[in-house]
Every structure is written in C-alpha cells, then in structure tokens.
C-alpha cells in the first residue's frame, strides 16, 4: 500500500516514521501516511512565520481564485473523497457525500466572501476639532493560524478553518485528528495545485501529544480548535495571550411544544440523534416534550428510530454506521449501562456490536447521569417530559453546554421567546438543533466554546481592526 505524503510549506514531504489508518467498521487497513519529524514541524512553522507579511498582502483575486479552485476540484473528485471519508471515519456514504458537498460550498462561500472583504470609511468631522479628517478601517490578520481539527467531519471542519485563513491572507498549519488524517492530506494535495506562496499552508498529521509545542509556539498567534471542552480549555489556559477560538461540545436539546407537527418532529429527531452515529456536537441528545403531547410523540418517535438502517457504512442504504473506534463505542455502552443501573428505561436500542451502537432511546434518566449532563457523542437520546413551555426552556438551559437548540412549534411568539431565553449560540425553529448552514455564524456559549465559525465570522475572528486617519481633506 502506498504511503501518503504530508504537506510541508506547500510541498509533499515524508518523515522517518509511518502511521496506519484503519476502517472502524471492519478494522481493515485503508491507508498509511508519513509522519513529520520535529525538524520538519519546525520548518513548517518557520515557513508560515516567514510568509505571513506576503500572505497578508496577497491580492484579493489570488486568494479568491485559490479558494474557488479548491471548491471546483473537491466537486470533481467528490465520489473519491466521500469514499475516503467513509473508509477512515466509518461515516455512512450517504452522509459522507453530504459532507463533501458542504466542503465544496464552504470553499465557494470563502471565495465569494474574499471578493467582498474590503475596508470601510468613517467621517470624523462630526465635531469641529476633527474637520477634514476621515478614517479608513481595514482588517489585518493576527498572523499564522494553527488549526486543530476533529475526526467527525474530517473534511468540512478542516475547510472551516483553512478557507477563512486563506481568505484573509493568513498562513495556516493543520493538525488533523489522528484517526482521520487522510481527508486533510487529500485537501493538501488540492491546495498544492493553487498559486498560493510556499509556506501558506502545511498539513502535519502528528500524534496528539506532539501538538502542545505547536500550541505554545509564539509564531502561531491564532489557535483554532474544535473538539472536547476539557482539551479546548486546557489549550486556552496554556496560551492566555494568544487569540484562541474554541468550537467545543454540546448535549443539544430538541424541544417539542404542544402545537408542533409531531410526525415531522419525530422523523427529524430520530434521524438527527443518530446521524454520524451521534458523533456531532449538535446531534440531538436531549428531547424535551410538553406533557400533553408526550405520549403521542413517543408513539411516533420509536417506530422512526427502529426504521433507521444500521450497518456497513459503504452500503448506500445505511443511515447509522459505527463509531470512530471500539473504545468510543464501549464508552457509550458504559454510559447507557450506568443510566439504566440508576433507574433509566431503555425504550429502543441499548446494545452494541463491535464499534456499532444501536440507536438508543432512554426515558426516566436521572438528572446527574452522564447521558443527561455530559456529551454522549454517540447514538443515544433521552426523553424528558415538561409541564409547560416555561419548564421546557428552563430544562434546555439546565446544562453546562450551550451550542444550539431546536424548537418545534408553530407559534412565532414561542419562537422569539426561545431566541430571547435559551442560552445557546443558535436556535433552530421548526427543526432539530443539528441544522447548520456553512455560511452562518456558528458557535456556542458556556462550555460550548468561544468565537464563531462560518466564513465571514471566522474571517473576522482571524483578524483585527486597523484604523488609518487621513487629515486635511475637503469632505
């Protein structure tokens, strides 16, 4: 089997060791990649630092065309890339194709935003002392970006860090998840086809324990991390003077109010509690249902969950595949077992076969059970009745996390109340919390992180405002 190169300052490179990537469904080897040495990591950082001023000064058309090229090439190679995602991640091919399509759009949106990205002007002669003065306000990159990316969206979540960095003219070093580096390496191959200067990007597939030196390197002033809250906040604590953006976890709630379309809500919640095998920070974990419709909703939900097709992720019909590893599946099984031992009832699923956990529905879950108060990151949902809308919204907020929430209602008043009261970064009305458009601001509050992704929002996050005042003008 060929050994994939990594990308060092825009060129293919090899180190002196290799790592193997396996398919979580059947354990077969699906690829090997070379691992950078310490000296090669240093070379990548030095190159990013050296090219930073040139990168910031790149003409808009150069940055925009590079991003548009990546979008086109991802579209041309979509089937190949989707199969690679399925192989390394275990994501059903149906969802993998969706991820590739989103990455195509992410780079296209970035190209479009780059062409719109421009300075603004502000008249200052609002007071006599400032007569003849005008401010030109531009945004300048903080500097090279260290992008630490997760396994669950091994292409599109990398795109959400790489694309805005290139858009604003910031070099970027990608440290992909060890379980799923191949998609990032393929993206590096496509980036190498562009006219971006050497040093503008590197993709370094290293082990997690080697990332700390990159995090602490002062030549990488921006750290953009997606992953768990403990790791994210540990990074922020290590480098308090850096600009750190954190897209962390959640235990997303879907609220079903009494006026909701129960059939629609049941179908959407069933699917989006279990898509990606629940390995999404906005997968439905807590389902809060107003008591008058609780029984009717459960009658619709359980058949919808049972109808989901679980199996080989390469099969076109499969909707729920394995978790990323056997250890991840065993942890989810253990959490379910702990909840049951504490009094929870299993209404569906609750079993495991290898790395695959059956779509699971629990009721009567104790408040302090891990499946209720922590992030499961597996195909498990808990049902919670609420006596009123007041109690339902309070239950959403009774969480350490605050990423997104979904509210199924036909009432505009209930929708706007949710937007006012729910302590989350996004409220999805009429659908699950799992909805995300790649151009919209995306991020959370509380233990769900700081900063926002979404192309324009991330571009702002990677830059700071700079003001030039022109004097003696005839305005």
């Amino acid at each position: 089997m060929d050994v994939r190169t990594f990308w060092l300052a825009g060129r293919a490179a090899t180190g002196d060791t290799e790592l193997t990537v396996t398919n979580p469904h059947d354990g077969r080897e699906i690829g090997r990649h070379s691992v950078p040495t310490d000296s090669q990591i240093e070379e990548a950082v030095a190159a990013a630092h050296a090219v930073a001023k040139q990168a910031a000064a790149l003409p808009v058309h150069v940055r925009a065309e590079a991003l548009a090229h990546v979008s086109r090439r991802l579209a041309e190679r979509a089937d190949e890339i989707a199969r690679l995602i399925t192989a390394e991640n275990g994501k059903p091919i149906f969802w993998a194709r969706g991820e590739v399509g989103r990455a195509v759009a992410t780079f296209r949106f970035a190209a479009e935003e780059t062409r719109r990205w421009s300075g603004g002007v502000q008249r200052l002669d609002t007071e006599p002392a400032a007569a003849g003065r005008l401010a030109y306000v531009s945004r300048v990159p903080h500097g090279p970006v260290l992008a630490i990316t997760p396994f669950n969206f091994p292409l599109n979540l990398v795109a959400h860090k790489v694309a805005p960095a290139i858009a604003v003219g910031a070099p970027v070093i990608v440290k992909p998840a060890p379980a799923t580096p191949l998609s990032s390496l393929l993206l590096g191959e496509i980036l190498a086809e562009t006219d971006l200067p050497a040093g503008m990007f590197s993709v370094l597939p290293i082990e997690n324990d080697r990332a700390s030196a990159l995090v602490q390197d002062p030549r990488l002033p921006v750290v953009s991390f997606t992953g768990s809250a403990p790791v994210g906040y540990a990074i922020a604590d290590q480098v308090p003077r850096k600009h750190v953006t954190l897209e962390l976890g959640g235990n997303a709630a879907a609220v079903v109010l009494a006026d909701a379309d129960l059939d629609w809500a049941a179908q959407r919640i069933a699917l989006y509690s279990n898509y990606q095998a629940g390995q999404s920070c906005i997968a439905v974990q807590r389902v809060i249902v107003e008591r008058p419709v609780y029984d009717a909703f459960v009658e619709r939900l359980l058949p919808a969950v049972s109808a989901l097709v679980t199996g080989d992720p390469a099969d076109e019909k499969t909707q729920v595949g394995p978790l990323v590893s056997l250890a991840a599946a065993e942890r989810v099984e253990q959490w379910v077992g702990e909840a049951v031992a504490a009094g929870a009832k299993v209404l569906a699923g609750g079993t495991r076969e290898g790395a695959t956990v059956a779509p699971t529905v629990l009721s009567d879950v104790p408040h302090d059970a891990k499946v209720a108060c922590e992030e499961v990151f597996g195909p498990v949902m808990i049902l919670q009745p609420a006596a009123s809308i007041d109690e339902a919204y309070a239950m959403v907020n009774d969480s350490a996390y605050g990423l997104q929430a979904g509210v199924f209602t036909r009432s505009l008043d209930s929708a706007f109340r949710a937007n006012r009261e729910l302590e989350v970064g996004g409220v999805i009305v009429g659908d699950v919390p799992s909805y995300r458009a790649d151009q919209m601001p995306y991020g959370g509050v509380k233990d769900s992180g700081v900063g926002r992704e979404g192309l324009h929002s991330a571009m702002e996050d990677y830059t700071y405002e700079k003001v030039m005042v022109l004097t003696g003008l005839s305005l």
Side-chain angles (χ1 to χ4, degrees):
M1 182 174 287
D2 291 339
V3 178
R4 290 179 182 258
T5 59
F6 55 87
W7 296 93
L8 172 55
R11 71 178 192 278
T14 57
D16 53 16
T17 59
E18 301 171 5
L19 287 176
T20 299
V21 180
T22 58
N23 185 313
H25 175 65
D26 54 22
R28 64 186 169 86
E29 179 179 325
I30 57 105
R32 295 179 188 175
H33 66 85
S34 188
V35 180
T37 64
D38 289 344
S39 63
Q40 288 172 319
I41 294 172
E42 164 59 28
E43 183 181 348
V45 176
H49 178 69
V51 82
K53 288 186 178 179
Q54 180 187 354
L58 281 175
V60 166
H61 71 88
V62 173
R63 288 178 268 152
E65 180 49 39
L67 293 162
H69 173 84
V70 174
S71 179
R72 290 191 298 268
R73 293 288 285 141
L74 289 174
E76 291 167 3
R77 300 177 64 177
D79 188 67
E80 170 198 356
I81 299 169
R83 294 187 185 283
L84 179 62
I85 291 172
T86 293
E88 69 172 340
N89 172 276
K91 180 178 302 191
I93 189 67
F94 168 81
W95 297 112
R97 288 199 180 100
E99 179 175 351
V100 177
R102 289 180 61 186
V104 169
T106 297
F107 276 97
R108 186 180 72 249
F109 293 147
E112 294 166 354
E113 284 292 338
T114 302
R115 294 189 187 278
R116 288 190 289 263
W117 190 249
S118 186
V121 296
Q122 182 178 2
R123 288 184 66 145
L124 302 179
D125 59 342
T126 54
E127 300 296 328
R133 295 183 185 265
L134 182 79
Y136 171 74
V137 184
S138 58
R139 297 198 71 92
V140 179
H142 290 290
V145 175
L146 171 61
I148 303 176
T149 61
F151 70 82
N152 56 330
F153 287 87
L155 179 67
N156 196 41
L157 290 186
V158 177
H160 269 283
K161 299 183 187 301
V162 170
I166 293 172
V168 300
V172 59
I173 293 177
V174 177
K175 192 273 207 235
T180 57
L182 303 183
S183 299
S184 294
L185 295 174
L186 190 150
L187 179 59
E189 177 185 332
I190 294 175
L191 284 164
E193 299 170 353
T194 70
D195 293 328
L196 293 171
M200 190 72 179
F201 76 93
S202 294
V203 182
L204 305 179
I206 59 175
E207 304 89 331
N208 287 337
D209 59 6
R210 299 176 67 196
S212 181
L214 284 171
V215 168
Q216 297 181 46
D217 197 304
R219 294 168 294 180
L220 302 175
V222 178
V223 179
S224 179
F225 171 84
T226 298
S228 71
V231 176
Y233 285 119
I235 288 173
D237 290 344
Q238 284 182 59
V239 286
R241 296 186 180 182
K242 285 196 177 190
H243 186 82
V244 178
T245 66
L246 303 175
E247 199 280 278
L248 305 179
N251 55 4
V255 177
V256 182
L257 297 179
D259 66 339
D261 180 334
L262 299 185
D263 292 315
W264 166 254
Q267 291 295 324
R268 297 293 283 177
I269 289 170
L271 183 59
Y272 282 93
S273 177
N274 298 290
Y275 88 120
Q276 316 282 142
Q279 296 170 123
S280 167
C281 47
I282 46 176
V284 179
Q285 182 171 330
R286 297 179 295 146
V287 184
I288 300 166
V289 187
E290 271 201 286
R291 196 174 295 279
V293 295
Y294 181 85
D295 290 339
F297 173 76
V298 174
E299 288 175 2
R300 291 163 170 80
L301 175 69
L302 296 181
V305 171
S306 298
L308 294 172
V309 179
T310 302
D312 183 348
D315 189 322
E316 300 284 351
K317 296 184 176 117
T318 297
Q319 296 168 291
V320 184
L323 278 78
V324 72
S325 67
L326 178 61
E330 289 175 339
R331 176 193 56 78
V332 171
E333 180 185 40
Q334 179 183 350
W335 285 19
V336 170
E338 289 174 1
V340 171
K345 296 177 182 176
V346 178
L347 303 185
T351 60
R352 177 183 64 83
E353 183 176 345
T356 300
V357 174
T360 298
V361 182
L362 303 176
S363 67
D364 302 316
V365 177
H367 181 266
D368 59 352
K370 290 176 183 174
V371 295
C373 60
E374 298 186 25
E375 182 179 39
V376 174
F377 227 59
V380 178
M381 75 174 90
I382 66 170
L383 297 177
Q384 300 172 294
S388 63
I389 186 174
D390 294 343
E391 184 177 27
Y393 287 1
M395 290 167 72
V396 174
N397 291 338
D398 186 17
S399 170
Y401 296 101
L403 190 48
Q404 293 197 159
V407 179
F408 289 87
T409 181
R410 293 185 174 96
S411 164
L412 276 177
D413 184 64
S414 297
F416 277 94
R417 180 178 174 185
N419 189 58
R420 288 194 308 272
E421 297 183 7
L422 298 186
E423 298 165 358
V424 293
V427 178
I428 313 301
V429 177
D431 207 350
V432 290
S434 321
Y435 176 79
R436 178 184 180 183
D438 291 289
Q439 72 271 35
M440 78 183 194
Y442 176 77
V445 296
K446 300 193 282 190
D447 281 352
S448 289
V450 294
R452 290 294 181 269
E453 291 191 343
L455 280 309
H456 186 85
S457 298
M459 290 165 70
E460 289 189 333
D461 230 343
Y462 290 171
T463 56
Y464 62 91
E465 283 188 321
K466 187 172 187 178
V467 180
M468 176 177 69
V469 176
L470 300 174
T471 306
L473 301 177
S474 297
L475 298 173

